[in-house]
């Protein structure tokens, strides 16, 4: 059957009012499907139970505001006794709007109907936690006709349809593979890339077994990349430090760039090779072969905001570096009484 595409023109889309993305935890957990992955037995369930308690009571999470709402927690690896014991350790006044279930159907075999029935019965529910994803999946991998990626993507998409239809956040607790990936920790998520591809937001909780400190990595469509350093104290994950993408980028900037900015503070111009720059700066912590690499990569972050222009060109066997300090738009070198410094061994 040939269905006609339903389209919307850009002008109509731009002028149509739409509600903002709902966040359960401000700037951290948005509506949609959120996948939290971590190694087994490192504290994911403690984190989810504490999160459920905070959100159901409208209490902040690591200093971030929460939207108070009913919470459904499918704690599928636990018993009611274990959940009760954990609650005793976390709170003296458990809220009535935090609901638990230890059994449910599978994706494509009853789970979706059970969640939607609950949402209709408790319409104030805005957060659903499924712990763990594996417990609600067909152990046979579905039909097998679409392969692992297709099955993974379809399962997450099925849960996502509920989140989108009811404008709620659903957190799927998942596992990491034992095989590490130093380049991209998100590649360590168990299963295919269909899981992280279909999810709106992905969280990676990484912790050394012998340490009570962990890193929570955050990446998603509606949140900026973040790295949160957490510490497990008295069964609660406490925030030590939170970095956004700008903070992380700034932390990667070599101190050498800031020393260059200080070096040019009382100069209007400098010309020379990388080796000559290091000599003039009395620099001993860096080698000439990485000077132009650092300058090319981080000039816009450090030098340009200080009004320092960086140029480079190759002459013969040497590559020359030139810095020009723009002082309030004064283009006349030496007009402020400072003579340009130019290396006597080079010509630009």
């Amino acid at each position: 059957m040939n269905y006609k595409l339903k389209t919307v023109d850009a002008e109509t889309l731009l002028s149509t009012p739409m509600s903002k993305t709902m966040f359960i935890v401000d700037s951290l957990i948005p509506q949609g499907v959120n996948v939290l992955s971590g190694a087994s037995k490192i504290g994911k369930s403690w984190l989810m139970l504490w999160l459920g308690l905070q959100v159901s009571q409208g209490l902040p999470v690591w200093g971030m505001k929460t939207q108070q709402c009913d919470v459904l927690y499918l704690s599928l690896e636990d018993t009611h006794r274990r959940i009760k014991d954990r609650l005793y350790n976390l709170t003296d006044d458990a809220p009535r709007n935090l609901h638990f279930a230890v059994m449910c159907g599978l994706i494509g075999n009853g789970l979706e109907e059970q969640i939607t029935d609950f949402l209709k019965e408790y319409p104030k529910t805005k957060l659903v936690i499924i712990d763990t994803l594996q417990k609600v999946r067909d152990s046979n991998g579905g039909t097998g006709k679409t392969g692992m990626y297709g099955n993974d993507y379809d399962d997450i998409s099925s849960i996502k349809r509920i989140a989108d239809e009811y404008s709620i956040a659903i957190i799927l607790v998942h596992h990491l593979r034992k095989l590490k990936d130093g380049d991209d920790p998100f590649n360590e998520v168990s299963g295919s890339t269909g899981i992280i591809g279909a999810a709106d937001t992905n969280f990676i909780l990484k912790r050394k077994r012998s340490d009570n400190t962990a890193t929570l990595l955050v990446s998603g469509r509606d949140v900026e990349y973040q790295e949160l350093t957490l510490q497990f104290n008295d069964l609660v994950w406490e925030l030590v430090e939170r970095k956004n993408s700008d903070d992380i980028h700034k932390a990667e900037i070599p101190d050498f760039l800031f020393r260059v900015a200080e070096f040019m503070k009382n100069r209007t111009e400098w010309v020379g090779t990388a080796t000559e720059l290091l000599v003039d700066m009395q620099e001993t912590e860096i080698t000439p072969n990485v000077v132009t690499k650092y300058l090319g990569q981080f000039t816009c972050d450090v030098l340009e905001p200080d009004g320092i222009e960086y140029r480079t060109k190759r002459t013969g066997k040497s590559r020359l570096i030139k810095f020009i300090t723009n002082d309030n738009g004064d283009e006349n070198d030496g007009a402020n009484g400072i003579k340009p410094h130019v290396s006597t061994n080079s010509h630009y």
Side-chain angles (χ1 to χ4, degrees), residues 2 11 14 19 40 47 54 76 154 176 178 185 211 221 231-232 239 243 247 276 278 288 294 341 347:
N2 184 19
E11 190 276 334
L14 193 63
S19 58
S40 60
L47 175 58
Q54 297 297 103
L76 306 176
D154 288 346
L176 293 177
K178 292 183 178 180
D211 197 352
R221 299 186 178 107
Q231 196 167 59
F232 198 55
L239 179 66
K243 295 180 180 179
D247 296 328
E276 291 164 349
L278 297 179
Y294 284 165
H341 174 95
H347 299 281

Side-chain angles (χ1 to χ4, degrees), residues 185-296:
F186 289 92
N187 288 334
E188 298 176 23
V189 174
S190 181
S192 74
T193 55
I195 292 179
I196 61 174
D200 296 294
T201 309
N202 286 281
F203 299 82
I204 303 291
L205 183 64
K206 306 203 72 175
R207 172 192 180 189
K208 293 182 179 179
R209 292 290 180 184
S210 59
D211 197 352
N212 69 336
T213 301
T215 301
L216 182 66
L217 309 177
V218 186
S219 178
R221 299 186 178 107
D222 297 305
V223 297
E224 66 172 332
Y225 180 79
Q226 303 170 57
E227 293 182 3
L228 287 75
T229 301
L230 307 176
Q231 196 167 59
F232 198 55
N233 292 323
D234 297 327
L235 305 178
V236 174
W237 286 104
E238 299 176 348
L239 179 66
V240 176
E241 184 181 24
R242 181 187 181 196
K243 295 180 180 179
N244 58 27
S245 54
D246 287 339
D247 296 328
I248 296 167
H249 179 65
K250 290 177 181 178
E252 295 174 345
I253 299 175
D255 290 338
F256 170 73
L257 270 295
F258 298 99
R259 294 196 290 271
V260 171
E262 184 65 24
F263 171 74
M264 289 299 299
K265 191 173 183 179
N266 294 320
R267 293 175 170 83
T268 56
E269 184 178 302
W270 187 94
V271 180
T273 65
T275 300
E276 291 164 349
L277 176 63
L278 297 179
V279 171
D280 284 359
M281 290 179 59
Q282 298 182 356
E283 187 71 36
T284 59
E285 298 182 11
I286 192 172
T287 57
N289 61 325
V290 297
V291 168
T292 53
K293 173 185 175 182
Y294 284 165
L295 289 173

Side-chain angles (χ1 to χ4, degrees), residues 156-195:
I156 304 301
S157 296
S158 183
I159 299 299
K160 177 174 166 56
R161 280 191 288 272
I162 299 175
D164 292 345
E165 180 180 352
Y166 288 89
S167 298
I168 66 172
I170 299 179
I171 300 178
L172 304 174
V173 181
H174 194 40
H175 297 293
L176 293 177
R177 294 184 286 109
K178 292 183 178 180
L179 184 64
K180 306 299 180 184
D181 189 322
D183 294 328
D184 188 355
F186 289 92
N187 288 334
E188 298 176 23
V189 174
S190 181
S192 74
T193 55
I195 292 179

Side-chain angles (χ1 to χ4, degrees), residues 46-167:
W46 282 106
L47 175 58
M48 290 297 97
L49 181 56
W50 176 76
L51 174 68
L53 283 168
Q54 297 297 103
V55 171
S56 61
Q57 298 174 89
L59 299 175
V61 170
W62 303 320
M64 292 170 274
K65 292 182 180 180
T66 61
Q67 176 169 321
Q68 184 176 12
C69 61
D70 288 4
V71 178
L72 172 61
Y73 189 167
L74 304 183
S75 187
L76 306 176
E77 293 185 337
D78 289 320
T79 62
H80 287 125
R81 165 58 65 182
R82 189 176 299 142
I83 297 172
K84 182 178 179 180
D85 291 342
R86 288 179 175 176
L87 284 171
Y88 270 130
N89 285 290
L90 293 180
T91 184
D92 295 324
D93 187 19
R96 293 181 61 86
N97 62 336
L98 173 56
H99 307 267
F100 296 94
V102 295
M103 296 179 63
C104 67
L106 300 179
I107 295 174
N109 192 18
L111 176 66
E112 294 91 328
E113 290 79 10
Q114 290 174 330
I115 293 177
T116 54
D117 287 345
F118 182 89
L119 295 175
K120 292 174 183 177
E121 184 176 358
Y122 298 94
K124 293 183 179 179
T125 303
K126 290 294 180 182
L127 175 61
V128 176
I129 301 170
I130 302 177
D131 187 359
T132 63
L133 171 61
Q134 196 58 40
K135 281 288 187 176
V136 295
R137 303 189 72 191
D138 186 345
S139 59
N140 295 321
T143 63
K145 295 179 180 179
T146 59
M148 179 182 289
Y149 179 92
N151 289 332
D152 288 346
Y153 198 95
D154 288 346
D155 282 351
I156 304 301
S157 296
S158 183
I159 299 299
K160 177 174 166 56
R161 280 191 288 272
I162 299 175
D164 292 345
E165 180 180 352
Y166 288 89
S167 298

